[in-house]
Structure formats: C-alpha cells, structure tokens
Amino acid sequence: MAAFFPPPTALDPEMIAAGALLRTEGLVALDPRTSALADVRVVQDRIGAYLSNKVARVAIERDLVIPGLDRDIPCRFYAPKSAKPLPLLIYFHGGGFIYGRAQGWDGLMRDLVQQTGIAVLNVDYCRAPEHQFPAGITEAVIVINHVSRTGSEWGINVTRLAAGGDSAGANLALVAEMIRRDRGEAALRFLLLFYGVFSSDTASASWVGLGSGAYGLSQSQMEWIWSNYLETPNQRDDWRSTPLSGDLTRLPPVHQAIGALDPLLDDAHATKRRLDVAGVKNNLLIYPGVNHGFIRFNRMVGIAQRAVDDAAAALRSALMIE
C-alpha cells in the first residue's frame, strides 16, 4: 500500500500530561500479550470509568437489553429530556474486539448528547476470544435492525438513525451497514468512524513508521488482536473482517477522525480514497499530536475535545438537528 501518512509530529503536551496523570492514579494499561485477559479488562474498565467521570451525566442514562440470537445484548442509552422523538446514534465502543465495556465510554457519549441534543445507544456487543468473528458483527446488525423496527416505542425517530464507533467499534459499524445495504434494509443517515480498523495490513507505511508501540498500539499487539478475534487466519480475506476489501458503494455519508500518530492512518486514507471513488460523501479529519485511542481524553486534551466537537457538528448536520 502506498504511503499516505505525514511525517510524525511530537505527541501533544496535554496528551503526555494526561498519560502521566493516569499513571499517578495507578491506571496503566496492561499488555494483553503478556497479562491475563481478565486483568487487562479490569484495568481498561477502570481507565474508562476515570475518563468518563470527568463529564456530567445527561438527563436520561439507563441500561437496557436487545434480544439477540443466543443472549440478550446489553446496551446503555443516553438522552436529553425531550417531548418529541429524537434522532439516535448507535455506537460500538473500541477495545480490539476483545476488551472494553459501554460504561467506559460514558464520557464520550454524554458529550455527544450534550452537544447535539440527540440520543445515543452504546452497544456491549459480545467479545472475543469467547465469541469470535463474526459474532460481534451479527449482534451489531441485530441491534441496528431492532432499533429501526421498534425505536419509536422508546422515543426515537427511526428515520434519523446513525451508527458509529471507534477502532474495532468503527469496524463493526461500517461492516454492519454494508451487510444491511446488501440485504436491502433501510439505510442509515450517517456513519461516524473514529480511527477504524479497516484492514489487517500491519506492514503499511504508517504501521512501519508509527507501530512500534511508542504511540499506544504496536504491530505485534495488532497481530495478537487478529489472532484472537478470528477463528482462522484465512478470515482476514473476508471483507466482513476487513471492510476495506469490500464494496464501499451505496453507503451513507461518512465522517472519519484519526490522530496523526495513529498507525491506522494509512487505513483511514485508503478508506477515504475508496469512498471517493465509490461516490460516497465523506470527509477525513486528522488531528495533530495525538495517537490511537485519543477520543476519550476529550475533557483532558484540547485536540481530543476539538475532535468531539467536530463529530458533534457533523452529527447535527447529518441528522438535521435544529
């Protein structure tokens, strides 16, 4: 793949300070390659709770479940008080398909609700390695379709739906809508994708230049993620795991956001190029000085807050918020 990423910039001082503050709180992410997965998940959940507590709660926050194939799918619902049906963003959190819980993204969800006046549903899809590919995708499609059919019963305007996610969650949001398109389902209005995992290529120029682990995500860690997410290596050739290899035509407008120090940067550029060729309205915003996973630092890092502000503006425009 051709090199797209710009020369590396210095890590933003506020991002460095945020990392130092987490360390003083004893919140240091564990390496999943060398630590017990249960411990990795616990620490990730603690980090998420710490970051989320910096954003005030919104009027309505509640847990709910959506019927799945073999289990009820847990979700968290966030909304302002409103007398009229609200547009909805269906969100799939990050975590390498393996860790992370919806609660760890409370702060980001609250910020988006506060800025847009829409509702958000954050989905706790099933995780690998207990539930490997394509189980999480199946649940993503089920949730979107369930909301499309029944959302009006809980105050949602089902003609104004968007999906989104970060990292692995962005992969699920994009793939779910591609599957729904192929099945002839009613299209969503918008896709909000933060630093998505859209290919399994860890040898691209941005991976070589930025994937040492110095910026929070390494080539070897990503290979570990793929080996745990997929049942067999040849599933990397399935477009449902690597949507950059699939058909990107006839999709709703797409907003991508990524840090300039993220090794997934080539994926973001390549996805934009494919969407342009496919005639899909889209934009790609690259934020200097921040690395993979930066979006949840919105109340600690100014550039992260700017990315959330830009995403909220794009949501308002796409869902016709007045």
Side-chain angles (χ1 to χ4, degrees):
M1 182 182 294
F4 290 104
F5 80 101
T9 57
L11 192 62
D12 185 89
E14 290 186 334
M15 200 75 198
I16 295 173
L21 181 58
L22 287 178
R23 288 192 293 274
T24 65
E25 298 288 338
L27 299 174
V28 179
L30 300 178
D31 188 336
R33 297 164 298 174
T34 56
S35 302
L37 181 54
D39 295 337
V40 173
R41 287 171 169 168
V42 167
V43 173
Q44 289 287 347
D45 291 345
R46 290 178 59 209
I47 292 172
Y50 179 84
L51 296 174
S52 290
N53 286 338
K54 296 185 175 298
V55 186
R57 293 174 63 93
V58 296
I60 300 170
E61 295 189 17
R62 69 172 185 266
D63 296 328
L64 53 83
V65 296
I66 289 175
L69 291 181
D70 55 7
R71 69 169 199 142
D72 288 334
I73 304 168
C75 302
R76 284 177 71 84
F77 180 72
Y78 314 77
K81 287 187 177 179
S82 176
K84 61 182 180 180
L86 292 170
L88 177 74
L89 169 66
I90 303 166
Y91 197 86
F92 302 94
H93 63 77
F97 306 103
I98 294 169
Y99 34 83
R101 288 292 192 189
Q103 293 93 326
W105 276 252
D106 279 345
L108 175 60
M109 302 300 98
R110 291 166 180 164
D111 202 345
L112 290 173
V113 170
Q114 290 165 6
Q115 291 203 51
T116 63
I118 71 172
V120 178
L121 183 72
N122 195 1
V123 183
D124 257 335
Y125 54 88
C126 58
R127 300 177 296 180
E130 296 89 346
H131 304 276
Q132 291 178 300
F133 171 87
I137 295 166
T138 299
E139 291 198 343
V141 173
I142 287 172
V143 169
I144 296 172
N145 286 343
H146 180 85
V147 171
S148 297
R149 292 192 305 269
T150 69
S152 57
E153 298 173 7
W154 31 292
I156 298 304
N157 183 339
V158 297
T159 70
R160 296 184 179 183
L161 300 178
D166 58 289
S167 195
N171 173 297
L172 296 181
L174 175 58
V175 171
E177 184 60 4
M178 292 166 72
I179 290 171
R180 295 180 69 256
R181 172 205 62 196
D182 292 347
R183 293 178 180 176
E185 305 282 358
L188 299 172
R189 287 282 191 99
F190 188 65
L191 290 172
L192 175 64
L193 309 176
F194 296 113
Y195 38 82
V197 180
F198 299 140
S199 83
S200 62
D201 179 11
T202 59
S204 71
S206 62
W207 271 109
V208 172
L210 300 170
S212 67
Y215 300 111
L217 186 62
S218 70
Q219 290 167 296
S220 60
Q221 182 182 351
M222 194 69 227
E223 289 297 326
W224 177 89
I225 288 171
W226 284 115
S227 68
N228 280 273
Y229 176 50
L230 304 177
E231 290 185 340
T232 61
N234 63 8
Q235 288 177 331
R236 290 189 184 213
D237 298 325
D238 189 322
W239 67 264
R240 296 173 302 164
S241 70
T242 53
L244 190 52
S245 65
D247 175 10
L248 298 185
T249 63
R250 297 177 291 118
L251 290 171
V254 175
H255 176 93
Q256 287 194 86
I258 192 168
L261 298 175
D262 194 321
L264 293 172
L265 195 54
D266 276 347
D267 269 16
H269 279 290
T271 300
K272 175 168 178 49
R273 185 175 65 174
R274 289 282 316 283
L275 290 169
D276 287 342
V277 171
V280 174
K281 182 180 179 181
N282 75 98
N283 69 334
L284 168 61
L285 299 183
I286 301 170
Y287 296 89
V290 288
N291 52 352
H292 190 75
F294 78 95
I295 199 69
R296 287 193 295 165
F297 288 80
N298 50 312
R299 293 301 170 89
M300 301 177 71
V301 177
I303 292 175
Q305 187 62 58
R306 187 200 315 167
V308 176
D309 296 346
D310 291 341
L315 275 170
R316 284 196 304 271
S317 176
L319 300 180
M320 299 174 63
I321 306 300
E322 299 177 355

